[in-house]
Amino acid sequence: MTERMSPFQAEEADVPVWDETEALAGVDGDRDLLRELAALFVKQGTNDLDTLRRAWAEQDREALAKAAHRLKGAVLQFAAHKAHMACRRLEEVARGEGAADRSLWTKVETEVTRLIQALRSFAASDDKERIA
């Protein structure tokens, strides 16, 4: 059994972009369902990242908090701990719990983009490729 890593441990650790084993456990091992969810996230995550980008540029804290909250939950279904922590911190800052700086936005953008790329590859894969 894999021990679940806390978001705080994930931020500092050298962990993968997402944990396929943990994500599969969340869908009772249904790899096809996980592929479908990954494909949906690639589309919606890209849209959410664009929403975050606009809210950041406009310094719209309310829109930033809502988009960060939505994205925070979405990345968690893939056990993307670094992306989850970055989104969580951005949400907290948007709600007035600390100062916003460019490095926080850069972290969110980097981690979510890495997740989108990884999930795009996963969604396009099939079990035959894994067996070969």
Side-chain angles (χ1 to χ4, degrees):
M1 183 167 119
T2 303
E3 185 175 322
R4 178 173 254 174
M5 182 175 294
S6 80
F8 297 107
Q9 292 169 316
E11 185 164 351
E12 299 304 321
D14 184 23
V15 297
V17 174
W18 70 295
D19 185 330
E20 183 178 340
T21 302
E22 190 175 331
L24 274 168
V27 293
D28 294 327
D30 188 335
R31 187 173 301 283
D32 290 333
L33 176 57
L34 189 59
R35 270 197 209 93
E36 288 179 37
L37 292 172
L40 289 172
F41 179 82
V42 167
K43 290 178 186 174
Q44 189 58 48
T46 300
N47 292 339
D48 288 344
L49 199 53
D50 288 342
T51 299
L52 276 176
R53 202 173 277 122
R54 281 190 304 277
W56 178 266
E58 297 168 6
Q59 290 300 297
D60 182 342
R61 286 186 174 259
E62 185 177 339
L64 194 61
K66 287 179 182 177
H69 180 79
R70 184 174 54 248
L71 200 49
K72 177 183 73 172
V75 302
L76 196 54
Q77 72 182 332
F78 299 103
H81 298 294
K82 285 185 176 183
H84 178 259
M85 178 55 85
C87 290
R88 180 177 145 190
R89 286 201 176 161
L90 183 60
E91 180 186 9
E92 290 169 353
V93 165
R95 296 194 189 284
E97 300 172 28
D101 65 26
R102 184 79 183 156
S103 66
L104 178 57
W105 162 247
T106 301
K107 180 75 170 170
V108 170
E109 186 174 39
T110 299
E111 293 303 331
V112 173
T113 299
R114 289 175 64 212
L115 179 61
I116 288 169
Q117 292 168 346
L119 292 178
R120 182 177 287 125
S121 294
F122 175 75
S125 70
D126 62 30
D127 287 332
K128 292 174 193 163
E129 292 175 1
R130 293 181 58 82
I131 295 169

